[in-house]
Amino acid sequence: MTDTILAIIGGTGLTSLKGLEISRREVMHTPYGEPSGPLTHGILAGREVVFLARHGYSHTIPPHQVNYRANVWALKHAGVSAVVAVAAVGGITAEMRPRRLVFPNQIIDYTWSRAHTFFNKDLTHVVHVDFTEPYDADLRRKLIEAARTIKIDAVEQGTYGATQGPRLETAAEIDRLERDGCDLVGMTGMPEAVLARELELPYATCAVVANWAAGRGEGVITMDEVRENLDAAMANVRRVLEATIKA
Ligand code: HPA
């Protein structure tokens, strides 16, 4: 990825990026309000990257309160050329077991009342972006190839169901998501992905399965279990990111 300045949006379990040699922090103000925090510029695996913690560096912003427009706009205007979103998810279908990495290829959006477009007002014409393939094919391929090269156990496709949160789902809701074709469930995949598309920023997700989704595992979902699984899987996320950058 020689000419690419990669942005990494870190989700739950990734509020800082180990190995990142930080050069500066940049406070951005956007027409859409404040991003989740300053952008962290630095060098990872020998190349310039920009890191942003989606939920804030102290993990205090819940999924439905994230200012997705400000985050994506800030990254675009900081000059990044692609975005890898790291996202904790619940696993619905059999392959999506906790601690696995997944590179989803499709999305179903169940979120509501989030600011989900840049094309809202003061328009000279109505804009409908194509979203047939919600993730950038080239960036997905790079992530998948990096994971293969370093022999990380990852699932190379899947449909991400984006729910509103912040509560977790009911078992019946997960059954419905599975009937709809979802393999994974998370609360932050949308509108982040479509906003990146609207600004023509190549965007792909590295999902990390934090737990079996509601009704798919044993008993209730605990935050301890989520934390443990994410802690265990994040080393692999970092390795994939570094291998992607180096490729
Ligand atoms: N549901 C929604 N979002 C999530 C989950 C889940 O089970 N786990 C991690 N993020």
Side-chain angles (χ1 to χ4, degrees):
M1 301 197 56
T2 11
D3 300 328
T4 311
I5 299 178
L6 190 69
I8 297 161
I9 302 181
T12 302
L14 193 72
T15 46
S16 65
L17 199 54
K18 224 184 259 172
L20 177 67
E21 295 162 41
I22 298 172
S23 52
R24 68 191 167 97
R25 294 190 204 276
E26 184 180 14
V27 175
M28 302 272 290
H29 305 287
T30 85
Y32 305 96
E34 303 306 303
S36 298
L39 306 185
T40 306
H41 292 258
I43 303 289
L44 185 70
R47 296 217 192 286
E48 192 179 344
V49 301
V50 180
F51 179 79
L52 178 63
R54 184 187 289 115
H55 301 283
Y57 293 97
S58 313
H59 204 269
T60 48
I61 309 170
H64 63 295
Q65 301 280 17
V66 170
N67 191 338
Y68 295 96
R69 289 197 300 188
N71 287 353
V72 173
W73 193 97
L75 291 171
K76 175 80 181 183
H77 287 81
V80 311
S81 39
V83 178
V84 173
V86 178
V89 296
I92 299 176
T93 48
E95 275 193 303
M96 307 295 170
R97 59 169 180 266
R99 304 191 181 188
R100 261 188 145 176
L101 305 195
V102 188
F103 304 109
N105 62 316
Q106 275 297 331
I107 298 175
I108 300 180
D109 186 10
Y110 301 90
T111 65
W112 44 272
S113 84
R114 298 183 180 188
H116 63 287
T117 182
F118 290 109
F119 299 121
N120 228 5
K121 54 180 180 149
D122 306 326
L123 303 176
T124 52
H125 60 282
V126 174
V127 179
H128 303 284
V129 291
D130 177 80
F131 207 44
T132 310
E133 298 296 334
Y135 299 108
D136 182 77
D138 192 44
L139 188 55
R140 274 192 76 247
R141 188 179 45 74
K142 286 181 173 135
L143 287 166
I144 289 168
E145 278 172 8
R148 279 187 194 165
T149 304
I150 58 172
K151 299 194 169 26
I152 298 274
D153 171 37
V155 187
E156 297 182 357
Q157 59 176 29
T159 296
Y160 177 115
T163 54
Q164 176 71 358
R167 68 166 175 84
L168 293 163
E169 299 71 34
T170 66
E173 285 169 336
I174 293 299
D175 289 343
R176 171 189 167 208
L177 261 64
E178 184 166 14
R179 285 195 300 275
D180 284 355
C182 296
D183 299 292
L184 306 164
V185 57
M187 300 174 190
T188 57
M190 285 292 283
E192 198 171 86
V194 75
L195 293 168
R197 177 62 53 84
E198 286 188 349
L199 295 190
E200 298 178 356
L201 259 181
Y203 175 100
T205 288
C206 174
V208 189
V209 184
N211 54 278
W212 283 113
R216 292 294 185 272
E218 281 162 27
V220 298
I221 300 163
T222 68
M223 285 305 109
D224 283 349
E225 157 197 4
V226 165
R227 240 186 318 270
E228 254 175 52
N229 286 328
L230 290 177
D231 283 351
M234 275 314 155
N236 281 346
V237 172
R238 286 193 194 95
R239 290 178 60 214
V240 168
L241 291 173
E242 291 187 11
T244 305
I245 290 165
K246 278 186 197 152

